[in-house]
Amino acid sequence: MTDTTAVDLGPQARLVARLATDVPDAALADRTPCPGYTVRELLGHLTGLAVAFRDAARKDLGSTTDTPPGSTTPSLPADWREELPRALGEMSEAWREPAAWTGMTRAGGVDLPAEIAVTVAADELVIHGWDLARATGRKYTPDDAALRASHAFLLRAAEDEGRGGGAFGAVVPVPDDAPLLDRAVGLSGRDPNWTPQTVEA
């Protein structure tokens, strides 16, 4: 892939940053649709993945790119209201460099082609942006290009694993004519109708 404008992470990264910095402290302990994560842990995860995918773009491989997701409970930096938007901005800028899209890189302890890594990053931003918006009761309209990249990635993952599974757990069936965001959310193993009042199984 040589068209580095195919997935510009900037618009989606800025949207997630706005959602995050508006989260009140009182909401940090609330549940989210992301299994096992509170809002605090989700924000910590977003901070860590922004740094990891920034370094993946730069091919600066090391501790930030080698840690598998879920291996530890994400911690939230004390200065997260400044750190998370900064990391998201640095990540999106790093992926604007043509060299970021070439060769192999690593994220989450997995070696993969760089042009696939940026698609994974788009998916993380879209789905976790939805997690955060839904947990905190806000409207959410993701960047269209990032959403399309996320849906395509999740659809391939589900097809690879069989219809009952995907990259992030069992697929939640969603009508074929549902909005693209709902279909992506279902492919990620989440219920598009989730609310903070939803009782976990």
Side-chain angles (χ1 to χ4, degrees):
M1 182 179 295
T2 57
D3 181 4
T4 58
T5 65
V7 184
D8 178 4
L9 298 179
Q12 183 63 25
R14 289 190 291 273
L15 171 59
V16 172
R18 288 195 299 272
L19 286 169
T21 53
D22 287 343
V23 171
D25 288 344
L28 291 177
D30 291 351
R31 293 191 306 117
T32 76
C34 188
Y37 278 4
T38 63
V39 171
R40 176 187 299 278
E41 289 157 351
L42 178 59
L43 290 167
H45 177 63
L46 280 164
T47 305
L49 76 85
V51 171
F53 281 100
R54 176 200 68 192
D55 292 348
R58 295 173 177 174
K59 312 298 196 297
D60 183 12
L61 309 183
S63 60
T64 60
T65 61
D66 291 352
T67 305
S71 59
T72 60
T73 300
S75 60
L76 188 61
D79 62 345
W80 66 272
R81 293 187 189 277
E82 294 77 33
E83 175 60 22
L84 178 51
R86 180 168 57 247
L88 287 167
E90 290 174 349
M91 178 188 66
S92 60
E93 284 300 318
W95 282 105
R96 289 197 177 103
E97 294 295 327
W101 292 66
T102 62
M104 297 290 292
T105 190
R106 185 183 307 135
V110 176
D111 292 324
L112 71 172
E115 64 186 42
I116 300 300
V118 69
T119 305
V120 177
D123 175 62
E124 293 274 356
L125 293 178
V126 168
I127 297 302
H128 288 317
W130 180 86
D131 287 333
L132 186 58
R134 189 54 61 97
T136 55
R138 281 172 295 169
K139 293 181 180 179
Y140 180 63
T141 304
D143 173 68
D144 184 64
L147 173 58
R148 285 186 280 108
S150 170
H151 179 263
F153 167 75
L154 290 165
L155 187 59
R156 285 194 301 272
E159 290 172 345
D160 287 346
E161 296 295 328
R163 184 61 190 172
F168 305 105
V171 168
V172 175
V174 175
D176 291 341
D177 60 353
L180 188 61
L181 177 58
D182 286 1
R183 284 180 275 151
V185 167
L187 287 167
S188 77
R190 293 155 168 78
D191 180 354
N193 296 313
W194 189 97
T195 71
Q197 289 73 43
T198 298
V199 177
E200 293 181 339

